[in-house]
Amino acid sequence: MGSSERTHHMSLVQGTWLAYVLLLLLELLVCLFTLLGLAKQSKWLVIVMTVMSLLVLILSWGSMGLEAATAVGLSDFCSNPDPYVLNLTQEETGLSSDILSYYFLCNQAVSNPFQQRLTLSQRALANIHSQLLGLEREAVPQFPSAQKPLLSLEETVNVTEGNFHQLVALLHCRGLHKDYGAALRGLCEDALEGLLFLLLFSLLSAGALATALCSLPRAWALFPPSDDYDDTDDDDPFNPQFLPWLPEETPLTQPAWALTTNTLGHGQPAQDRLPVLGLGSS
């Protein structure tokens, strides 16, 4: 797997976690605003939060289904991961099955595919080292000027032997198999356990949201009826609450001529009350 693919997978995992955290935060905000609407008995806020609750509930059940499917697939993979990883790695890298089996299994039944070449290389280095020692014993007494080049060659051979031992340690399956086992344990134990906890929390949050959504109609029925005259002006002549200021002896159903007669009988000018009476009778 290349570095670009690993980067893409890491960004995908981070985006999934971020989306899940944002979903939980949205559920929390919806619950808080729903409680606020119930506390203030605000019908418009309760209506808006009911619609939002339906949308968030659909998203919650969808995420829970995705988590359940991922947990089932991961459990199937963890039951026997070696064949799948071997086949996938062979398709991606094109390495032989002997090399992959040695590093992934790392047991006595599978031998090191590089063992023969490593043995030949070690024998060649030992042969070179012994030949240089023989030249030093035989040629240096005859040619003293050859001692310095021989010492330089021995140092080079010693450095090569040290690098060769490091190469042998790197080519051994123990280190890579240890990292492979740690990755499998992290995926099949820690990741699967965390996924199951996420599934449980999603189930609880979706259940709580569904319960709150089902209780909203009952809470709506407990709201006091709205008063249509709460926002009207007390001095508005068209307000029904404004009518009781009229005199009791002048009902609205009385004709205008009778009202005029009544006012004249009390000694008041008729034109002072006719406009008001005419407005009320209309």
Side-chain angles (χ1 to χ4, degrees):
M1 184 182 294
S3 59
S4 60
E5 293 180 357
R6 287 195 296 268
T7 304
H8 176 70
H9 289 171
M10 289 297 296
S11 61
L12 182 62
V13 171
Q14 292 175 358
T16 304
W17 280 103
L18 181 60
Y20 185 77
V21 171
L22 290 178
L23 179 60
L24 291 180
L25 182 60
L26 183 61
E27 290 180 0
L28 179 61
L29 290 177
V30 168
C31 292
L32 289 178
F33 278 102
T34 303
L35 292 177
L36 180 63
L38 293 175
K40 290 192 172 184
Q41 295 184 351
S42 176
K43 291 187 176 181
W44 68 268
L45 186 57
V46 172
I47 293 174
V48 172
M49 287 301 104
T50 302
V51 176
M52 290 296 297
S53 299
L54 287 173
L55 296 177
V56 174
L57 186 61
I58 294 173
L59 292 177
S60 298
W61 285 108
S63 67
M64 188 171 62
L66 181 61
E67 292 163 5
T70 305
V72 172
L74 186 58
S75 62
D76 291 339
F77 165 77
C78 292
S79 62
N80 191 13
D82 293 334
Y84 175 77
V85 176
L86 285 173
N87 294 331
L88 181 62
T89 307
Q90 189 172 9
E91 291 177 0
E92 293 290 336
T93 60
L95 295 174
S96 63
S97 59
D98 296 336
I99 297 175
L100 295 177
S101 299
Y102 171 71
Y103 285 105
F104 280 106
L105 301 179
C106 194
N107 51 29
Q108 299 295 330
V110 182
S111 60
N112 189 350
F114 306 107
Q115 186 64 42
Q116 185 177 0
R117 293 185 177 90
L118 291 175
T119 303
L120 293 176
S121 300
Q122 187 176 9
R123 289 176 181 176
L125 286 174
N127 189 16
I128 292 173
H129 190 69
S130 64
Q131 293 295 330
L132 289 176
L133 290 178
L135 287 174
E136 186 178 2
R137 287 193 306 267
E138 297 176 2
V140 169
Q142 302 295 330
F143 303 96
S145 60
Q147 183 176 7
K148 186 175 181 180
L150 286 174
L151 291 177
S152 178
L153 287 174
E154 287 181 357
E155 290 179 359
T156 303
V157 171
N158 291 332
V159 173
T160 304
E161 285 183 349
N163 293 332
F164 176 76
H165 291 304
Q166 292 181 1
L167 178 62
V168 171
L170 289 175
L171 290 178
H172 198 273
C173 66
R174 184 169 49 249
L176 185 59
H177 183 73
K178 182 179 179 181
D179 296 337
Y180 172 67
L184 283 182
R185 284 192 299 271
L187 181 64
C188 297
E189 294 179 5
D190 298 335
L192 186 59
E193 182 180 359
L195 193 61
L196 291 177
F197 275 112
L198 284 181
L199 182 61
L200 177 61
F201 292 152
S202 298
L203 180 62
L204 292 177
S205 62
L209 196 61
T211 303
L213 190 61
C214 293
S215 64
L216 285 179
R218 182 174 295 179
W220 181 278
L222 297 178
F223 282 0
S226 59
D227 192 357
D228 296 335
Y229 306 110
D230 287 343
D231 297 333
T232 57
D233 189 4
D234 292 338
D235 296 333
D236 188 1
F238 295 99
N239 185 4
Q241 297 177 356
F242 180 74
L243 297 178
W245 71 273
L246 293 174
E248 295 180 358
E249 64 273 9
T250 57
L252 293 177
T253 58
Q254 193 172 2
W257 62 267
L259 294 174
T260 306
T261 306
N262 290 335
T263 54
L264 291 176
H266 287 82
Q268 296 179 358
Q271 60 272 14
D272 293 340
R273 297 182 61 87
L274 279 177
V276 177
L277 294 174
L279 178 62
S281 62
S282 61

